[in-house]
Amino acid sequence: MYLTTPESSDEVWTQLQQPLCLAGEEPRLRLLLAARDLNWKIEEPVYLRPRWGSSGARVYHFILHRPCDAPRLITVPESPAVEAFIRAEGLKVVVQDS
């Protein structure tokens, strides 16, 4: 029995979009990890591509899904922490040049 009413998946997703105040961590990576904690699954492959509108910078595009919800996209800037996460999870990455 719930003490409060269960939240819809859109309400949960909206809460995930709120900024976190943990110092020293990357907010978009924390968002990805929080989504995984809420049973969102990463769909392979993960895409590594140039950031739109920026030269030189690259981002990872993670497509997430879970039953009964529309797929979601989380874009995470390239960093050693994200690369370590991808290696630890054994995720396939597709590099796109454009």
Side-chain angles (χ1 to χ4, degrees):
M1 176 176 201
Y2 288 104
L3 297 177
T4 60
T5 58
E7 299 177 67
S8 75
S9 62
D10 284 339
E11 289 170 344
V12 170
W13 189 258
T14 300
Q15 288 177 354
L16 283 172
Q17 302 303 311
Q18 301 304 312
L20 299 174
C21 298
L22 300 175
E25 300 237 359
E26 299 167 2
R28 301 302 296 178
L29 178 56
R30 288 195 319 266
L31 172 64
L32 177 64
L33 297 175
R36 295 234 6 235
D37 287 345
L38 292 172
N39 296 320
W40 288 87
K41 305 294 182 209
I42 297 172
E43 182 178 304
E44 290 186 84
V46 174
Y47 297 96
L48 176 61
R49 58 178 299 139
R51 182 181 300 205
W52 293 308
S54 297
S55 61
R58 297 191 308 176
V59 294
Y60 287 98
H61 291 293
F62 293 88
I63 300 169
L64 304 178
H65 64 89
R66 73 178 180 182
C68 302
D69 284 308
R72 307 290 180 150
L73 173 70
I74 295 179
T75 301
V76 181
E78 185 178 34
S79 73
V82 176
E83 291 164 3
F85 168 77
I86 289 170
R87 277 192 308 276
E89 295 296 315
L91 297 170
K92 179 182 177 186
V93 176
V94 171
V95 179
Q96 298 180 321
D97 294 324
S98 57

